[in-house]
Amino acid sequence: MTRLLRPLLCGALLGLICMIDPGPAVEVLVPAEPLSTPLGKTAELTCSYRTSVTDTFALEWSFVQPGKPIAESHPILYFTSGHLYPTGSKAKRASLLQNPPTGGVATLKLTDVRPSDTGTYLCHVNNPPDFYTNGLGLINLTVLDEVSGQLILTNLSLASSGTYRCVATNQLGSASCELILSVTDPSKGRVAGALIGVLLGVLFLAIAAFCLIRFQKERRKRPKETYGGSDLREDAMAPGISEQTSVRADSSNGLLERPPSASTVMTTKSKLPMVV
């Protein structure tokens, strides 16, 4: 009986030991909380692991869009055989915080984040023969974009006057601003507008009167223009011309001698003929 029980006890003991220590395993540690990064900044997706790094060690980062299964993930970069291989649309912006990532740190840096970077990132560590766990860690990243909003109020009344507060909240915290709105009686506005119009009209008339008075004063100060010459009549003689009115009688032929014509009269000063 005792001989039969010994093999059974040894088998149970071996089974218990296998359950307690199943063999080497890969343990991947990532933050439990989702990560949020403002638009255009650099996101650091923290990932660490525990395993004995060998020549077969491999690291892979991949990305899957929100709402899609992990099976549809797209690779971002690989590390295998001591070399780093970025790939995909994020290759130029993706890098490792420590390269090579053989010291237990596999953190991913993603620069100039965009709204399309929002999704789930997979940190996968593969180190045969450590196959006890899947060596996978998931990180959810949200890229916060700048947005603006406005409040439109219609049919305002005096009761609409007061302080209005706008509050914005996201994963990074909250911010607020306050605006003071004052609604006035429309009738008071019409009276004020009419009063301003009257004052502007009076001011315009005062300026016009001032300009007119100044123009009259300037006109009076100007000297009167005088004409130094004498008026000429059609039958008047030019100055300096001696009119010969005597009529000479020729006793020999009995004719009267005609006085010189006005068109051929010579002036005593200029000695030039003048037509009158």
Side-chain angles (χ1 to χ4, degrees):
M1 185 70 180
T2 305
R3 292 180 180 179
L4 294 176
L5 292 176
R6 286 181 179 178
L8 294 176
L9 292 175
C10 290
L13 182 60
L14 290 174
L16 180 62
I17 294 174
C18 292
M19 292 179 61
I20 296 175
D21 187 12
V26 177
E27 184 180 5
V28 176
L29 303 175
V30 294
E33 298 295 329
L35 178 64
S36 300
T37 305
L39 180 68
K41 301 297 182 179
T42 299
E44 290 191 2
L45 287 74
T46 303
C47 177
S48 60
Y49 62 89
R50 296 175 182 173
T51 185
S52 56
V53 177
T54 62
D55 294 338
T56 59
F57 173 83
L59 170 67
E60 176 186 353
W61 274 98
S62 57
F63 168 76
V64 60
Q65 295 179 349
K68 292 186 177 182
I70 296 178
E72 297 185 10
S73 62
H74 302 281
I76 298 176
L77 57 80
Y78 297 96
F79 180 86
T80 182
S81 301
H83 297 283
L84 183 65
Y85 302 97
T87 183
S89 60
K90 298 177 174 56
K92 294 182 178 180
R93 298 183 293 118
S95 62
L96 291 176
L97 183 64
Q98 291 186 4
N99 188 19
T102 55
V105 177
T107 300
L108 176 69
K109 288 181 62 178
L110 189 63
T111 61
D112 189 22
V113 294
R114 306 163 185 175
S116 59
D117 294 332
T118 297
T120 302
Y121 290 78
L122 290 73
C123 178
H124 188 195
V125 177
N126 186 13
N127 188 29
D130 297 351
F131 292 116
Y132 177 63
T133 61
N134 57 6
L136 183 65
L138 305 180
I139 301 176
N140 292 321
L141 174 66
T142 301
V143 178
L144 303 177
D145 195 1
E146 295 182 359
V147 296
S148 61
Q150 60 179 353
L151 175 65
I152 301 177
L153 302 177
T154 59
N155 299 325
L156 295 178
S157 63
L158 295 177
S160 302
S161 298
T163 301
Y164 292 81
R165 185 181 184 186
C166 176
V167 180
T169 305
N170 55 27
Q171 293 87 338
L172 296 181
S174 62
S176 63
C177 65
E178 293 184 354
L179 298 175
I180 299 177
L181 176 64
S182 179
V183 180
T184 58
D185 191 352
S187 60
K188 295 181 180 179
R190 288 194 294 267
V191 172
L195 181 60
I196 293 174
V198 171
L199 293 177
L200 291 177
V202 172
L203 179 61
F204 176 77
L205 293 176
I207 294 174
F210 173 78
C211 293
L212 181 60
I213 294 173
R214 185 171 181 180
F215 174 75
Q216 292 293 340
K217 289 182 179 181
E218 293 293 336
R219 187 175 181 183
R220 292 175 183 176
K221 291 180 181 180
R222 295 176 183 175
K224 296 182 178 180
E225 297 181 356
T226 57
Y227 180 70
S230 58
D231 297 334
L232 297 179
R233 297 180 301 174
E234 293 182 359
D235 57 347
M237 299 299 294
I241 299 178
S242 60
E243 182 180 3
Q244 298 179 1
T245 57
S246 62
V247 178
R248 299 179 182 177
D250 190 352
S251 60
S252 62
N253 53 18
L255 298 176
L256 297 177
E257 185 178 356
R258 187 177 179 183
S261 174
S263 61
T264 59
V265 176
M266 302 294 293
T267 62
T268 59
K269 295 182 179 180
S270 62
K271 302 300 182 179
L272 295 175
M274 179 179 292
V275 178
V276 179

